[in-house]
């Protein structure tokens, strides 16, 4: 029915926004071979490289301007000319999250100008994954899929289940069985079919590839991956626009598969290419957890290939042992003069606390990883204090309370009496003075 309507409007030459599209199809990132804009992700005809969406940048340049973007909705859909969809988007208010000027954290670290891009308050499920899923499910609907699925480290399951519910699509998602309670409950509430697989993410992903081939479903990060990954570009566009149409000097972002990292770069490059922002170099640094750091290890050893690892870290949302976009992330970090570093679980927890106490932002373990790596790179002189730096916070701390429950202390429980309060307050004050003295304030 929908397809019928589309071909009719095309036949009669109706040029409504409904049929306007700025992408031509898919193109292999390795050999350049092109394919129709279908549900496929590898270059099956030639080299088995990954496929990427190909755009008509002249068309985009002709129809977009800073003003046209600023007049758009306060969501990722203000950039829809740069996204691989044809019709109306599935609009759950995703994107345009705050870019916070982090003065107190900057001072603590010794940076002049630091910003936090806070996707921990993204809609609808409080992580950056809402961006990629909004795009993937819109495209899935256009391609005629009624059942959608994903292989997830947690946040993707939340997002896919929620946005599928909103769009009225059948949903079955796969997670490793040992995920945080918040991620499991935050998926189940939308009533999808949830498969908890006894195994790590890489095993879940392999199973999902087999299911995708057998069941013909739309897997957002497998056969729909070229569309899905484009959603991350909006994290590049938004930062440019929110900085007043300028590029930062240095960005720090977490790496799981490495896709987000490479797509922030693509977003920056596209805005330069179509003239929306002045060209300038940006250094790209990536953050991993030591317990799953195949990209950081390759970077440290100067390799251009990834040796897969078995994940063992509290940063489960970024625990991918065999990262598909690892080689591309390595290439970007080295070509831009950035770094890829890893921090241990203790440093990750300290990173979560530091961001919360200085900026009032409660992030999950992936964000703790990013802040801990930011701190490390500044201390090592690998981020210069004069660089305008953006740290990407990709998820919300309320989903991984296990990580910090033992370090946050306890409330002071009192009876509803002024005298009780007075005594407890005095005790708290002297405790605080003792702590300050012990750290030499
Ligand atoms: C998925 C995820 C990432 C990174 O994902 P990529 O696979 O590298 O694109 C980062 N942070 C959080 C919180 C995530 O859920
Ligand atoms: Zn190819």
């Amino acid at each position: 029915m929908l397809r019928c309507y589309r071909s009719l409007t095309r036949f009669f030459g109706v040029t409504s926004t409904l049929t306007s599209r700025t992408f031509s199809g898919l193109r292999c990132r390795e050999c350049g071979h092109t394919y129709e804009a279908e549900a496929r992700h590898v270059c099956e005809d030639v080299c088995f490289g990954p496929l990427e969406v190909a755009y008509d940048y002249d068309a985009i340049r002709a129809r977009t301007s800073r003003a046209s973007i600023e007049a758009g909705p306060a969501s990722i859909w203000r950039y829809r000319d740069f996204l691989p969809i044809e019709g109306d988007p599935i609009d759950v208010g995703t994107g345009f999250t705050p870019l916070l000027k982090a003065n107190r954290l900057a001072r603590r670290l010794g940076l002049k100008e630091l910003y936090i891009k806070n996707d921990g308050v993204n809609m609808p499920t409080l992580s950056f994954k809402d961006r990629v899923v909004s795009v993937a499910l819109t495209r899935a609907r256009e391609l005629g899929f009624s059942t959608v699925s994903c292989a997830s480290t947690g946040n993707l399951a939340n997002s896919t289940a929620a946005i599928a519910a909103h769009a009225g699509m059948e949903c079955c998602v796969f997670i490793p069985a040992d995920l945080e309670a918040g991620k499991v409950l935050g998926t189940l509430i939308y009533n999808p079919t949830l498969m908890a697989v006894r195994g790590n993410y890489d095993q879940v992903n392999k199973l999902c590839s087999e299911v995708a081939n057998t069941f013909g479903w739309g897997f957002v990060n497998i056969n729909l991956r070229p569309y899905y990954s484009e959603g991350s570009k909006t994290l590049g566009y938004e930062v440019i626009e929110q900085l007043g149409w300028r590029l930062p000097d240095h960005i720090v972002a977490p790496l799981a598969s490495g896709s987000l990292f490479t797509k922030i770069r693509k977003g920056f490059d596209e805005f330069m290419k179509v003239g929306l922002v002045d060209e300038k170099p940006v250094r790209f640094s990536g953050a991993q957890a030591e317990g799953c750091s195949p990209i950081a290890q390759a970077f440290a050893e100067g390799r251009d290939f990834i040796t897969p690892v078995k994940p063992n870290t509290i940063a489960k949302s970024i625990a991918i042992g065999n990262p598909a976009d690892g080689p591309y992330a390595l290439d970007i970090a080295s070509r831009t003069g950035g770094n890829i570093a890893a921090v241990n679980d203790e440093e990750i927890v300290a990173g979560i606390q530091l961001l919360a106490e200085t900026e009032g932002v409660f992030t999950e373990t992936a964000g703790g990883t990013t802040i801990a790596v930011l701190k490390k790179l500044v201390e090592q002189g690998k981020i210069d204090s004069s660089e305008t730096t953006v740290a990407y916070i990709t998820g919300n701390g309320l989903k991984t309370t296990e990580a910090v429950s033992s370090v946050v202390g306890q409330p002071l429980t009192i009876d509803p009496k002024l005298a009780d309060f007075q005594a407890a307050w005095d005790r708290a004050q002297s405790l605080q003075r003792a702590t300050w003295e012990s750290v030499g304030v």
Side-chain angles (χ1 to χ4, degrees), residues 1 14 21 104 106 120 135 145 161 181 200 205 219 222 248 254 257 264-265 288 323 337 348:
M1 197 24 210
V14 178
R21 83 177 212 187
R104 297 190 71 236
V135 174
F145 288 103
N200 62 36
N205 194 41
F219 273 79
I222 301 177
S257 72
I264 293 171
R265 168 76 193 218
Q288 292 212 292
I348 292 169

Side-chain angles (χ1 to χ4, degrees), residues 239-262:
V239 161
I240 290 174
E241 189 179 346
Q242 291 171 318
L243 284 175
W245 297 101
R246 72 188 166 106
L247 285 158
D249 297 317
H250 206 139
I251 70 107
V252 183
L255 305 168
S257 72
S259 173
L260 160 71
F261 193 72
T262 63

Side-chain angles (χ1 to χ4, degrees), residues 98-112:
L99 182 74
L100 209 66
K101 183 131 195 287
N103 291 332
R104 297 190 71 236
L105 180 57
R107 211 172 310 127
R108 186 77 79 86
L109 298 178
L111 286 171
K112 225 179 266 154

Side-chain angles (χ1 to χ4, degrees), residues 128-129 153 155 254-260 317-318 320 364 366 394-395:
F128 108 86
K129 291 297 196 305
T153 56
N155 284 314
L255 305 168
S257 72
S259 173
L260 160 71
S317 59
I318 50 171
I320 296 186
E364 67 149 78
T394 47

Side-chain angles (χ1 to χ4, degrees), residues 42-83:
V42 286
C43 181
E44 279 162 22
D45 291 356
V46 187
C47 75
F48 291 93
L51 300 183
E52 183 171 51
V53 178
Y55 294 88
D56 176 353
Y57 288 107
D58 291 331
I60 295 176
R61 198 180 294 113
R63 62 205 256 178
T64 57
S65 64
R66 290 181 181 180
S68 72
I69 289 169
E70 284 167 353
S75 72
I76 59 169
W77 302 117
R78 70 205 276 112
Y79 310 109
R80 65 156 294 166
D81 287 337
F82 294 85
L83 296 171

Side-chain angles (χ1 to χ4, degrees), residues 306-381:
I306 303 291
T307 307
V309 302
K310 270 218 167 65
N312 179 20
T313 169
I314 57 166
K316 295 175 197 254
S317 59
I318 50 171
I320 296 186
N322 189 12
D325 290 292
Y328 298 107
L330 282 172
D331 181 57
I332 289 172
S334 51
R335 270 194 300 119
T336 61
N339 286 275
I340 297 177
V343 286
N344 64 35
D345 286 358
E346 231 169 273
E347 294 172 296
I348 292 169
V349 171
I352 296 174
Q353 290 178 290
L354 178 62
L355 181 64
E357 291 173 13
T358 54
E359 295 298 335
V361 172
F362 182 19
T363 186
E364 67 149 78
T365 46
T369 307
T370 303
I371 295 300
V373 164
L374 168 72
K375 180 169 180 280
K376 191 173 190 167
L377 293 177
V378 175
E379 285 167 0
Q380 293 175 343

Side-chain angles (χ1 to χ4, degrees), residues 81-147:
D81 287 337
F82 294 85
L83 296 171
I85 67 161
E86 299 179 59
D88 290 333
I90 297 172
D91 187 1
V92 286
T94 298
F96 225 64
T97 54
L99 182 74
L100 209 66
K101 183 131 195 287
N103 291 332
R104 297 190 71 236
L105 180 57
R107 211 172 310 127
R108 186 77 79 86
L109 298 178
L111 286 171
K112 225 179 266 154
E113 203 180 353
L114 173 68
Y115 296 86
I116 297 297
K117 178 60 174 168
N118 187 12
D119 258 17
V121 295
N122 204 0
M123 285 289 121
T125 68
L126 311 178
S127 90
F128 108 86
K129 291 297 196 305
D130 293 329
R131 298 175 185 273
V132 283
V133 174
S134 284
V135 174
L137 293 198
T138 297
R139 188 64 188 149
R141 196 171 63 178
E142 290 174 357
L143 291 171
F145 288 103
S146 53
T147 304

